[in-house]
């Protein structure tokens, strides 16, 4: 029941020099300081020679829950599904749902007589939730024909795990698993970021690592990855709710001689460049700005993978700048300067002031 649109400001940060290519990155956010800060991180990275990224894994997941008359029977089916001799047959059932869906693995676990099946598959340039769900349904229909006593409780049993922080996503990954790194020159740390390598390394250890451990964090070993992920997701038409697991990130800062080595490891970046909100005009324009709109016939999946790399690279810039602001004692001052400004707010927004 669409009734209109809610306007969200979009800022551009960059250029972000990532893997030898410069990107102008759109961020949709009401927090002005976030854009300014991330832009400063991009500047520091650019002046130091750029960042590099590596994609370790690309697999969307869906995990139905099914029930059997007994735990023994559930275990029998689990052994059947995880037997390599049966994988080709199960793959054929799964893959027929789409030209791009390709089953990679099935990981199972049991709770009593209930069996949870975590399907992982490649999904081309789509984020892939609908694609993987169709494939899972085909496999469930096949299993039901082989094991008639199976009762399908739900197509999703939360072992996926979608839109929730979970250990299985943090350990196994979901979507795109990306690592991004850069070496920031010591002089850039001092002149652009207004702090020191030593101060940043110590702050990262006590805040992002030890502090997060004291808080019992799950995948939250970072300063504010969620800020950047949310802004990029909204700008490019991703599912904003998947910010929950997509923001799983561990930020590492180490001294590299007189320079600073910084990296972000993000195992659950869930993005697509076709379907869903990516088809809307403004979101399409943002994807075009990044050069990743749609799909390449000669390389299906490459645009979505590149978007995930850009997300990680922008998070790297955001982490670098915020940590520097905290280390230099600039956090409160910068928020007062940029988040309270009315310079770019139209008159209609100030009616009730």
């Amino acid at each position: 029941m669409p009734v209109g649109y809610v306007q969200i400001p979009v800022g551009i940060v960059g250029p972000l020099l990532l893997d030898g290519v410069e990107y102008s990155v759109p961020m949709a956010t009401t927090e002005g300081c976030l854009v300014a800060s991330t832009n400063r991180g991009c500047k520091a990275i650019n002046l130091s020679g750029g960042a590099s990224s590596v994609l370790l894994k690309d697999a969307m997941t869906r995990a139905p829950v099914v029930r059997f008359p007994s735990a023994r029977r559930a275990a029998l089916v689990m052994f059947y599904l995880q037997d390599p001799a049966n994988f080709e047959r199960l793959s054929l059932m799964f893959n027929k749902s789409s030209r791009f869906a390709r089953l990679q693995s099935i990981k199972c676990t049991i709770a009593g007589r209930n069996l949870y099946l975590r399907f992982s598959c490649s999904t081309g340039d789509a984020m892939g939730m609908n694609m993987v769900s169709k494939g899972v349904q085909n496999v469930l229909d096949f299993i039901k024909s082989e094991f008639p006593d199976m009762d399908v409780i739900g197509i999703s049993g939360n072992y996926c795990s979608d839109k929730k922080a979970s250990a299985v996503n943090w350990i196994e990954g979901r979507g795109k698993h990306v690592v991004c790194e850069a070496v920031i020159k010591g002089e850039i740390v001092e002149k652009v970021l207004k702090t020191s390598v030593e101060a940043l390394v110590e702050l990262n250890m006590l805040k992002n690592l030890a502090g997060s451990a004291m808080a019992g964090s799950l995948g939250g070993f970072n300063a504010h990855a969620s800020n950047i992920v949310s802004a990029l997701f909204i700008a490019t038409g991703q599912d904003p709710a998947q910010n929950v697991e997509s923001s799983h990130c561990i930020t590492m800062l180490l001294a590299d001689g007189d320079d600073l080595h910084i990296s972000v490891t993000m195992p659950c970046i869930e993005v697509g460049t076709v379907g869903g909100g990516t088809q809307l005009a403004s979101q399409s324009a943002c994807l075009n700005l990044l050069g990743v709109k749609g799909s390449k016939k000669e390389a299906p999946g490459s645009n979505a993978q590149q978007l995930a790399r850009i997300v990680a690279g922008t998070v790297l810039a955001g982490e670098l700048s915020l940590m520097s602001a905290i280390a230099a004692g600039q956090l409160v001052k910068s928020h007062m300067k940029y988040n309270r400004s009315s310079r770019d707010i139209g008159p209609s927004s100030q009616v009730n002031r």
Side-chain angles (χ1 to χ4, degrees):
M1 298 173 65
V3 295
Y5 292 89
V6 174
Q7 292 183 340
I8 300 177
V10 178
I12 300 293
V13 303
L16 171 67
L17 182 55
L18 177 64
D19 299 321
V21 180
E22 290 189 345
Y23 296 94
S24 295
V25 184
M27 298 177 65
T29 176
T30 56
E31 187 180 1
C33 193
L34 177 62
V35 177
S37 178
T38 307
N39 194 61
R40 182 176 74 150
C42 289
K43 179 180 179 180
I45 292 171
N46 199 321
L47 291 173
S48 297
S52 60
S53 66
V54 57
L55 188 139
L56 304 179
K57 187 178 179 182
D58 184 359
M60 181 48 65
T61 64
R62 174 59 87 197
V65 54
V66 297
R67 179 181 294 161
F68 293 90
S70 67
R72 182 182 294 273
R73 184 66 168 169
L76 176 67
V77 176
M78 182 183 78
F79 297 146
Y80 172 85
L81 293 173
Q82 296 188 154
D83 186 344
N86 298 322
F87 185 78
E88 183 176 356
R89 192 177 186 186
L90 295 170
S91 294
L92 289 173
M93 296 296 168
F94 185 98
N95 296 348
K96 70 179 183 179
S97 65
S98 168
R99 292 177 297 159
F100 302 104
R102 293 296 178 265
L103 184 64
Q104 296 180 3
S105 66
I106 305 175
K107 182 181 179 66
C108 301
T109 191
I110 288 179
R113 57 180 182 151
N114 305 301
L115 177 64
Y116 295 81
L117 303 79
R118 193 173 192 260
F119 291 78
S120 299
C121 80
S122 57
T123 58
D125 284 297
M127 183 272 287
M129 285 299 299
N130 292 333
M131 191 183 298
V132 68
S133 294
K134 288 191 293 182
V136 166
Q137 188 62 60
N138 289 342
V139 175
L140 289 177
D141 292 342
F142 169 73
I143 299 173
K144 181 72 173 179
S145 67
E146 298 287 310
F147 302 91
D149 55 348
M150 181 182 78
D151 184 15
V152 178
I153 304 301
I155 190 70
S156 174
N158 273 8
Y159 187 51
C160 314
S161 173
D162 186 42
K163 301 178 178 69
K164 290 166 282 290
S166 65
V168 71
N169 284 348
W170 179 237
I171 296 169
E172 297 288 339
R174 188 171 197 255
K176 278 72 172 168
H177 187 159
V178 180
V179 181
C180 189
E181 63 181 345
V183 176
I184 309 301
K185 296 176 182 178
E187 62 184 280
I188 300 301
V189 172
E190 294 178 2
K191 293 179 180 179
V192 176
L193 302 175
K194 312 300 183 184
T195 183
S196 68
V197 171
E198 182 182 8
L200 283 171
V201 170
E202 180 179 37
L203 176 63
N204 187 70
M205 179 186 68
L206 294 178
K207 171 181 167 60
N208 289 341
L209 304 183
S212 296
M214 293 299 292
S217 180
L218 180 60
F221 297 90
N222 60 82
H224 71 147
S226 177
N227 253 336
I228 289 87
V229 172
S230 295
L232 257 167
F233 271 29
I234 294 170
T236 59
Q238 312 304 313
D239 186 339
Q242 288 185 323
N243 163 67
V244 177
E245 63 269 36
S246 295
S247 296
H248 280 351
C249 171
I250 182 167
T251 300
M252 304 290 288
L253 274 69
L254 298 169
D256 187 358
D258 294 331
D259 301 330
L260 175 75
H261 181 276
I262 178 172
S263 67
V264 293
T265 302
M266 305 179 69
C268 311
I269 303 178
E270 299 165 352
V271 292
T273 56
V274 299
T278 68
Q279 302 172 94
L280 299 173
S282 298
Q283 287 80 350
S284 291
C286 288
L287 288 169
N288 275 324
L289 179 65
L290 293 169
V292 296
K293 178 72 177 77
S295 182
K296 297 177 181 177
K297 291 183 179 180
E298 67 278 11
S302 61
N303 276 352
Q305 291 178 354
Q306 188 57 38
L307 178 56
R309 292 172 184 263
I310 293 169
V311 170
T314 312
V315 167
L316 187 78
E319 290 288 279
L320 178 61
S321 186
L322 176 60
M323 291 294 287
S324 298
I326 295 175
Q330 299 172 336
L331 183 65
V332 174
K333 181 180 178 181
S334 61
H335 276 73
M336 293 301 100
K337 179 179 179 180
Y338 292 106
N339 283 3
R340 300 293 180 90
S341 173
S342 60
R343 181 172 61 88
D344 296 320
I345 300 177
S348 62
S349 304
Q350 304 180 51
V351 171
N352 296 323
R353 287 196 169 193

